[in-house]
Amino acid sequence: MNIDQNILDRYFLGTCSAEEKQLVETWFAQLGDDDSIDTERIEKIVARIDHRIQPVTGNQEEPLAIDDYSEEPKKIKRFPILSMVASAAAILLVFGILFFQQFRNQEPQLADIAAPTGENSIIVFEDNTELELDKLKVESTWNNTVAKNRLEFIKKHPENTMSLVYLENLANTNNPEYDIKGMFANLSEEIKTSKRAERLLNTLRAIALVVGADAYDFEQNDVNGKPVKLSDFKGKYVLIDFWASWCKPCRQENPNVVKAYQAYKDKNFEILGVSLDSDKKNWLKAIKDDGLTWTNVSDLKGWKNEVGELYAIKAVPTNYLISPEGKIIAKDLRGADLEKFLAEKL
């Protein structure tokens, strides 16, 4: 069963008809694992709706606006003053209607609040009532509303794949008020044993990777195909360095890491590089070009790297400094901070 994307968009915006809502929920009920749902497309819809007006980089005066729910936000064009006022009023009215829909409809929706573009924001309701809200209050209302909607959805739809998507979103907020493990346990067995559920479990494990926690042991092949374990380095300070040859910030940071390694490699310090590359030729070339003489491993699965998933790596470069006892003692030490920390410890 396929469903029109426009209907799906309207469902998440809270503007669909009762018939469309029934159609979408029937479709959801038939969904199972990742293989039967384009979750990447769903996430784009969720992200698009969750997007709040943000200032354009380099120009704080021009706000971004999602005026047609396209994939990319667009800049608001500059108009003569009267046209500009009329356009702004129209945009506020649209967001105001969505805001009003949230409280009129008891079913959980995703996005109904217009976020502020300045210090204060005017919310226009369907009956043309206006309410001026403080920027921070609007932001807080937005976040609380979205979280509440998702919590309600997860509770009501334990068999729904979207409940898993929402749990991932909530888990990434690191809010201790959310019982992610408890909510996950209440999902249907089909959802809990899906491929996507593995990613959420990895995320939960990664959240536990705080300073003082035990680092997760792993095994991966080095450049010569020899298996290497993190536990092979027990008794030493080890920097687990997640990087990739195609990552410009990683390549820019590598000289700093090389400098630290040269200064402390004879003082019980080692580096274990984990590459998120998929092309072995590029990986090996980057190791040679950047002078990464320490142990480097990779399964050449790109972002699907099993160690990367174990540590829920969502961006590179990322690193963890591990004590001789296998405890995490620091994370994301870059530039001079790495050498400074090592100087204090070694």
Side-chain angles (χ1 to χ4, degrees):
M1 175 182 176
N2 294 320
I3 193 164
D4 185 86
Q5 181 170 337
N6 292 325
I7 295 177
L8 201 56
D9 280 0
R10 288 195 293 274
Y11 174 83
F12 285 118
L13 286 168
T15 58
C16 66
S17 66
E19 292 76 13
E20 289 175 334
K21 179 182 176 184
Q22 181 62 43
L23 179 64
V24 172
E25 294 188 347
T26 299
W27 179 64
F28 273 146
Q30 297 177 359
L31 299 178
D33 206 344
D34 291 350
D35 298 331
S36 61
I37 178 173
D38 185 354
T39 51
E40 288 188 7
R41 180 167 71 86
I42 297 296
E43 285 182 327
K44 285 182 179 179
I45 295 172
V46 173
R48 186 163 74 233
I49 296 168
D50 279 356
H51 178 83
R52 298 182 296 278
I53 299 172
Q54 301 289 341
V56 180
T57 302
N59 188 340
Q60 299 299 312
E61 294 183 355
E62 292 189 7
L64 288 176
I66 300 179
D67 50 13
D68 62 351
Y69 305 114
S70 58
E71 292 296 335
E72 297 295 333
K74 298 180 178 180
K75 290 183 179 179
I76 296 177
K77 297 179 179 179
R78 296 293 182 183
F79 296 102
I81 187 64
L82 292 179
S83 178
M84 183 176 173
V85 171
S87 299
I91 293 173
L92 286 172
L93 179 60
V94 169
F95 280 107
I97 291 173
L98 293 178
F99 181 86
F100 179 77
Q101 285 278 64
Q102 169 65 37
F103 299 98
R104 187 179 62 179
N105 192 339
Q106 295 302 311
E107 287 296 321
Q109 309 298 338
L110 285 180
D112 304 299
I113 303 172
T117 58
E119 290 304 316
N120 296 298
S121 180
I122 301 293
I123 301 296
V124 182
F125 293 91
E126 195 170 32
D127 61 358
N128 293 322
T129 301
E130 294 186 1
L131 179 63
E132 184 174 351
L133 296 177
D134 178 83
K135 178 180 179 179
L136 294 178
K137 289 181 180 179
V138 173
E139 183 77 8
S140 176
T141 301
W142 171 279
N143 292 331
N144 291 339
T145 301
V146 170
K148 179 182 177 181
N149 292 341
R150 290 179 173 176
L151 290 169
E152 290 178 355
F153 189 95
I154 294 167
K155 183 178 180 179
K156 291 181 180 179
H157 304 282
E159 76 297 332
N160 195 312
T161 303
M162 281 305 298
S163 292
L164 197 54
V165 175
Y166 291 164
L167 269 181
E168 284 186 296
N169 295 143
L170 292 171
N172 287 327
T173 66
N174 292 326
N175 189 329
E177 293 183 5
Y178 303 143
D179 181 15
I180 305 298
K181 291 184 179 180
M183 288 186 283
F184 178 80
N186 290 328
L187 296 179
S188 68
E189 287 302 316
E190 184 177 5
I191 297 296
K192 288 192 291 186
T193 55
S194 67
K195 293 179 181 178
R196 189 180 191 91
E198 294 179 10
R199 190 169 79 177
L200 174 59
L201 291 175
N202 285 336
T203 297
L204 294 178
R205 283 194 289 267
I207 290 173
L209 288 173
V210 296
V211 172
D214 291 326
Y216 300 137
D217 195 14
F218 59 84
E219 178 179 293
Q220 208 155 87
N221 290 346
D222 65 10
V223 295
N224 298 313
K226 178 184 176 181
V228 176
K229 292 182 179 181
L230 173 61
S231 54
D232 293 340
F233 299 88
K234 192 168 184 179
K236 295 185 176 182
Y237 287 91
V238 184
L239 184 74
I240 307 174
D241 186 27
F242 292 93
W243 72 292
S245 66
W246 43 260
C247 168
K248 187 175 181 180
C250 301
R251 305 297 295 276
Q252 292 174 335
E253 179 62 20
N254 277 344
N256 296 321
V257 184
V258 170
K259 183 181 176 183
Y261 183 66
Q262 293 299 326
Y264 294 97
K265 65 178 181 179
D266 296 326
K267 298 181 180 180
N268 206 35
F269 174 65
E270 273 295 341
I271 297 177
L272 180 56
V274 181
S275 171
L276 272 61
D277 275 288
S278 56
D279 187 304
K280 186 172 183 178
K281 183 179 179 180
N282 291 341
W283 175 42
L284 296 180
K285 185 177 185 301
I287 291 174
K288 181 180 179 180
D289 290 349
D290 293 3
L292 313 184
T293 57
W294 50 80
T295 302
N296 286 278
V297 300
S298 180
D299 58 12
L300 298 175
K301 294 181 181 180
W303 284 106
K304 297 293 185 181
N305 183 293
E306 291 182 6
V307 180
E309 291 191 337
L310 177 65
Y311 279 74
I313 300 301
K314 294 180 172 60
V316 287
T318 293
N319 62 51
Y320 288 89
L321 184 59
I322 313 302
S323 72
E325 296 75 33
K327 301 282 187 180
I328 297 172
I329 57 176
K331 180 182 178 183
D332 291 334
L333 293 171
R334 299 194 178 97
D337 291 339
L338 176 57
E339 280 197 77
K340 182 179 178 181
F341 193 90
L342 292 173
E344 295 173 353
K345 290 290 182 180
L346 303 181

